[in-house]
Amino acid sequence: MTQCPACRLPLGEGDYLALAIHLVDRADASDSPHVRWLNQNLARQRTDPADLVGGLRKVYDLGSGTIKDWIKSKFISKFFGANPHPFVVALQHPSRSTLLGYVVEHQHFLRQWVRSCSFIMARTDQPSVVLYELDNLNTEFGGFGPSRVSHYELLLRMGESLDLARSQVLATPPLPATRAALEEWNEIATREHWVAVLAAMHSLELIANRNLVDVGASVRYFDPAILRGSEITDASKNFLREGYEADVGHSDEALALVAQFGTRPDLLEEVQSTFLRSIDLFDDYLLARLERATQFEA
Amino acid sequence: MKRNYSGCAICDSTWGNLWEDVEGERMFFCCDVCLTQFRRLVDRVKRETGWSAIEALEIEGDRRGRRCLAASGEARFRFRIAFNSLGEIRAFERLAVG
């Protein structure tokens, strides 16, 4: 089944004309997510639905690669292209305010992460997926005891090392843009096929996958030189290093599971559309981290 | 207001069909987020400059950030602006007019 990549409306499998008609119809109504998707993925000039079909087919075409390659390629062009995402630019050599913006918004993201991944576990019939999610959730949120604390705990410690009390972090509600993204990720988790949710959520861990520079990314998530020296606090290094080391495995393993379970013809396009929507939400969410950062600027 | 875009007043896209009065002029926008962005831009420039109206506006760039030149009479004001996903300003920087 094809889905609209802007609103996830289900459409017929491979029916790119129906998708084009829907996109143009919603764009004619000035609906922002649809206009945005057309602007960023197909064309900035209005055209008729029939003229969009070829472009849509190209967007969804895996070419000679796999779904894993396709997801990586789309992710790289959105976040690590010639003009990388502004948060990635800011994180190369981050200021205190950038890191605090990260802390305050990301605690909300990680709490939603638990909910989203739990839905995958609840709905999958595959033990390998459950085991993957259990390990991921312990790494990200639960931890493995005092000697190996979670990414969530490391995040809060990063905030404390920058003089932001965890009580203040935990008491701060998300910015509206973060809240909107989290609400839609929650809806995706509860409504879409578990393989689509797996792709939508774990593809986001590609952001810290340092190996993407080997397949076309213009930069890494941050300059690894900041893990040495005294540019950032030790707690910040611990937090960033954890993602730097864990997210190669997390994202690659999850995408291998997507490739294993998500390539049924009737499921593949649903996986692709849900992923495309998820990276738009992630784009918005990363901007919200920068928006929060401005509150900590002198 | 003289502008360098013939499509949406802030992003030049020709998708959408939103017409709104801004600064006494009927303008085309592709969506409500762009409308919000444009209104916030105009308000901020007027606040920064003290101008009562912007007579001309040139915009370069994209959703990652835009560099703009505003004019009122002989006066010029150059700035960089970026928005959040809801159309609110998240970064604004005065640039040297040169």
Side-chain angles (χ1 to χ4, degrees):
Chain A
M1 167 179 78
T2 303
Q3 276 188 331
C4 172
C7 70
R8 308 187 340 269
L9 177 78
L11 297 157
E13 182 188 330
D15 194 347
Y16 295 115
L17 180 58
L19 177 55
I21 290 169
H22 165 76
L23 284 165
V24 171
D25 182 56
R26 297 306 304 147
D28 282 348
S30 304
D31 182 77
S32 174
H34 293 82
V35 169
R36 169 196 188 169
W37 198 87
L38 286 163
N39 276 338
Q40 294 179 10
N41 294 277
L42 286 182
R44 303 184 64 75
Q45 303 301 305
R46 191 195 184 285
T47 52
D48 291 328
D51 296 327
L52 293 179
V53 172
L56 282 170
R57 206 179 294 284
K58 206 168 158 186
V59 167
Y60 282 82
D61 185 15
L62 299 186
S64 57
T66 64
I67 180 68
K68 195 172 170 177
D69 301 325
W70 182 88
I71 285 174
K72 280 188 178 178
S73 162
K74 297 288 182 213
F75 194 93
I76 287 169
S77 72
K78 191 164 192 73
F79 298 103
F80 294 115
N83 186 10
H85 192 283
F87 184 78
V88 172
V89 174
L91 198 62
Q92 294 303 302
H93 292 272
S95 63
R96 174 178 177 270
S97 58
T98 296
L99 294 174
L100 288 177
Y102 197 158
V103 171
V104 172
E105 295 307 300
H106 200 53
Q107 57 120 350
H108 296 290
F109 178 93
L110 286 175
R111 282 147 77 171
Q112 175 57 39
W113 184 262
V114 174
R115 286 191 282 273
S116 295
C117 297
S118 298
F119 272 108
I120 298 170
M121 277 196 286
R123 298 165 73 198
T124 183
D125 54 354
Q126 299 296 328
S128 58
V129 173
V130 174
L131 290 170
Y132 167 78
E133 293 296 353
L134 284 171
D135 179 68
N136 185 292
L137 285 178
N138 276 326
T139 304
E140 297 293 342
F141 201 81
F144 296 90
S147 63
R148 198 176 150 207
V149 299
S150 69
H151 212 185
Y152 182 71
E153 174 61 25
L154 291 173
L155 179 79
L156 296 173
R157 289 182 187 180
M158 174 164 79
E160 287 171 329
S161 78
L162 299 165
D163 301 322
L164 185 63
R166 73 173 58 204
S167 57
Q168 191 179 337
V169 173
L170 298 176
T172 306
L175 287 171
T178 298
R179 187 186 297 279
L182 298 183
E183 285 174 357
E184 192 164 341
W185 274 316
N186 196 59
E187 193 185 297
I188 285 171
T190 56
R191 294 194 180 186
E192 305 302 338
H193 192 286
W194 65 264
V195 182
V197 185
L198 185 72
M201 300 316 297
H202 293 290
S203 62
L204 306 182
E205 294 183 281
L206 287 169
I207 196 73
N209 185 323
R210 61 184 183 271
N211 294 341
L212 290 191
V213 289
D214 301 329
V215 285
S218 60
V219 289
R220 291 186 169 91
Y221 191 31
F222 53 84
D223 182 345
I226 65 175
L227 298 179
R228 304 182 292 272
S230 56
E231 194 176 333
I232 58 175
T233 61
D234 286 343
S236 301
K237 289 178 199 169
N238 291 340
F239 170 76
L240 291 172
R241 187 182 292 111
E242 170 68 23
Y244 195 63
E245 288 172 355
D247 285 353
V248 172
H250 280 178
S251 54
D252 280 342
E253 197 180 337
L255 294 186
L257 292 169
V258 171
Q260 184 178 354
F261 300 114
T263 49
R264 254 175 33 211
D266 62 325
L267 188 54
L268 178 61
E269 288 170 343
E270 185 180 340
V271 167
Q272 291 176 288
S273 292
T274 312
F275 159 77
L276 289 170
R277 181 60 187 153
S278 186
I279 58 173
D280 274 353
L281 297 174
F282 197 55
D283 189 338
D284 296 345
Y285 162 65
L286 292 182
L287 289 183
R289 288 183 188 169
L290 286 178
E291 187 182 352
R292 178 69 75 184
T294 61
Q295 297 178 4
F296 295 102
E297 286 168 5
Chain B
M1 187 189 302
K2 189 179 166 194
R3 287 171 284 127
N4 61 328
Y5 285 169
S6 55
C8 171
I10 192 104
C11 79
D12 209 21
S13 166
T14 58
W15 294 105
N17 190 27
L18 186 58
W19 291 86
E20 290 285 332
D21 287 328
V22 180
E23 298 292 291
E25 186 181 336
R26 197 87 172 141
M27 291 188 188
F28 170 77
F29 298 91
C30 63
C31 67
D32 57 349
V33 172
C34 279
L35 171 62
T36 301
Q37 289 183 4
F38 195 79
R39 286 195 194 282
R40 298 296 181 267
L41 181 152
V42 169
D43 289 347
R44 182 66 179 259
V45 169
K46 287 168 71 174
R47 195 168 82 227
E48 294 278 341
T49 59
W51 299 345
S52 59
I54 301 171
E55 292 174 8
L57 180 65
E58 286 180 26
I59 301 177
E60 283 178 16
D62 58 23
R63 63 201 169 90
R64 300 294 200 213
R66 294 183 165 90
R67 295 171 71 89
C68 309
L69 176 64
S72 179
E74 296 300 310
R76 298 287 180 273
F77 181 68
R78 197 179 288 278
F79 58 99
R80 189 183 70 84
I81 193 166
F83 302 92
N84 71 9
S85 61
L86 305 175
E88 303 295 337
I89 295 172
R90 69 168 179 80
F92 188 93
E93 182 187 3
R94 282 172 175 255
L95 301 173
V97 176

